[in-house]
Amino acid sequence: EVLAGTKDGCDEDYLPIGDWGIARTCETCSFSRLSISSQAHGQTSQVFRDDGTYQPGPSTDFNAFDLTGEQGVTRASIVYGDKAVQIRDWRIRQVDSNHLSVTNENGNVSRIYRSDGNVYGNSGGFGGYIIDDLGKPTCAYLTSSFLQLGDWRFGEMGGHLSITHRDGKTATIYVHDGTVHPGPRTDLNAWTLVD
């Protein structure tokens, strides 16, 4: 069942993907942050910062499910676009058939996932805000077990969150214990998920 494109079935503050959440966190911090966190284990595997850097886990701060602390989830509307999703001032977008980026509205790119399974840091040429308009929601949807943005899926598999391109390469696996397993690899292919 598709949950996205509207707020039906989605929390207003974060994207729920199985046991995982992608959320803007820490309202009072000097940097805007986007977090990838596991709910069951309370671990944060990755925090993207608006200066184009990232903090790998494991950690328990900036957790998408922390509703009590200053570093937890913030109020953020979620809007779907053309192979993209925007969480307040962050955009995750397929910028072309080979690249998916995590970009802050200031233009800094914290992550670029490439279809061959490699991952890169800040490169303005692949930012999700190159085209200002988010576009009409097209091939951007959320199910109970994966988020699909064009040729990319963020999918929960065996308690992990896997980022996989349609061609079969997994670029990153976020593990429930807060660690990150880099690609390129072919295991935990989110395209094998059916929902």
Side-chain angles (χ1 to χ4, degrees), residues 42-186:
Q43 292 292 317
T44 301
S45 289
Q46 189 86 74
V47 177
F48 303 108
R49 293 174 26 152
D50 69 2
D51 64 356
T53 62
Y54 63 93
Q55 299 166 243
S59 71
T60 56
D61 56 350
F62 308 113
N63 191 285
F65 299 97
D66 178 4
L67 303 176
T68 61
E70 289 184 3
Q71 296 179 343
V73 67
T74 65
R75 300 298 292 176
S77 62
I78 295 172
V79 181
Y80 293 87
D82 184 19
K83 301 177 190 89
V85 63
Q86 186 165 316
I87 306 168
R88 197 162 156 189
D89 57 335
W90 287 91
R91 193 174 283 177
I92 305 171
R93 176 179 235 161
Q94 177 177 306
V95 293
D96 61 33
S97 61
N98 294 314
H99 299 90
L100 179 84
S101 72
V102 178
T103 310
N104 186 266
E105 69 182 357
N106 67 14
N108 284 326
V109 181
S110 290
R111 263 302 184 241
I112 300 165
Y113 302 96
R114 205 167 72 181
S115 62
D116 65 1
N118 287 295
V119 179
Y120 298 93
N122 199 348
S123 174
F126 293 102
Y129 282 89
I130 289 176
I131 302 168
D132 288 336
D133 182 25
L134 192 57
K136 181 180 176 182
T138 307
C139 201
Y141 60 94
L142 180 67
T143 73
S144 61
S145 60
F146 64 84
L147 167 69
Q148 183 168 328
L149 302 172
D151 294 322
W152 292 88
R153 280 193 181 169
F154 288 66
E156 183 185 41
M157 304 190 72
H160 309 313
L161 186 68
S162 178
I163 302 177
T164 309
H165 188 268
R166 180 183 299 273
D167 289 343
K169 292 292 185 179
T170 298
T172 301
I173 298 170
Y174 296 108
V175 183
H176 59 77
D177 66 2
T179 58
V180 180
H181 294 228
R185 51 195 312 149
T186 56

Side-chain angles (χ1 to χ4, degrees), residues 24-33 62 70-71:
R24 186 185 188 282
T25 57
C26 196
E27 192 68 48
T28 60
C29 293
S30 58
F31 291 98
S32 175
R33 290 175 165 84
F62 308 113
E70 289 184 3
Q71 296 179 343

